Amino acid sequence: QRGAAVFILSETRGAGTGATQKVPIPRTPQWIVLAIERDVSQFRSYRATLRNSGGQTVWQSDPIEPISPDAIGISFPSSLLVAGDYTIRLEGLAPGKGTELIATQSFRAILNP
């Protein structure tokens, strides 16, 4: 059993600069953990949705809890990724009040050489 590949998705400045963060797809299946650094202290739980470049939902999390007040880890199997562009949407879950968008991060999955 292999460990997880962890990637920190940070906010990129200057949209349209071509500075897309890259996430290598491991040769053998393992867990991918995307860490998003944000103030996540306002909700007890969150939902993450992974979408491909066509806007189709590839995966959606069960409610997840932050790993600290300023970061959250989102884990899913690497087998969900093929080379291409993705967006991960993080929403805060408020019981009885719906959801609130916290962050949208983009990345490019690339084949590991």
Side-chain angles (χ1 to χ4, degrees):
Q1 183 175 348
R2 298 197 53 183
V6 179
F7 302 94
I8 297 172
L9 296 182
S10 57
E11 252 182 294
T12 53
R13 301 186 193 280
T17 62
T20 300
Q21 291 180 259
K22 293 177 177 57
V23 173
I25 302 168
R27 289 180 178 261
T28 57
Q30 66 184 71
W31 286 95
I32 297 275
V33 178
L34 302 178
I36 296 178
E37 296 177 329
R38 284 277 196 293
D39 176 7
V40 288
S41 62
Q42 65 257 57
F43 295 96
R44 294 188 73 158
S45 61
Y46 293 81
R47 176 176 59 211
T49 305
L50 178 66
R51 292 192 174 116
N52 63 19
S53 60
Q56 297 167 314
T57 298
V58 174
W59 173 85
Q60 191 169 64
S61 71
D62 290 327
I64 52 177
E65 296 181 8
I67 54 177
S68 75
D70 56 0
I72 194 161
I74 301 162
S75 60
F76 55 88
S78 64
S79 59
L80 294 176
L81 298 178
V82 296
D85 294 328
Y86 292 87
T87 302
I88 191 122
R89 179 182 171 98
L90 181 67
E91 299 170 298
L93 301 175
K97 296 182 183 178
T99 63
E100 181 179 324
L101 179 63
I102 303 301
T104 301
Q105 296 283 155
S106 297
F107 67 93
R108 177 167 291 153
I110 58 170
L111 296 175
N112 208 356

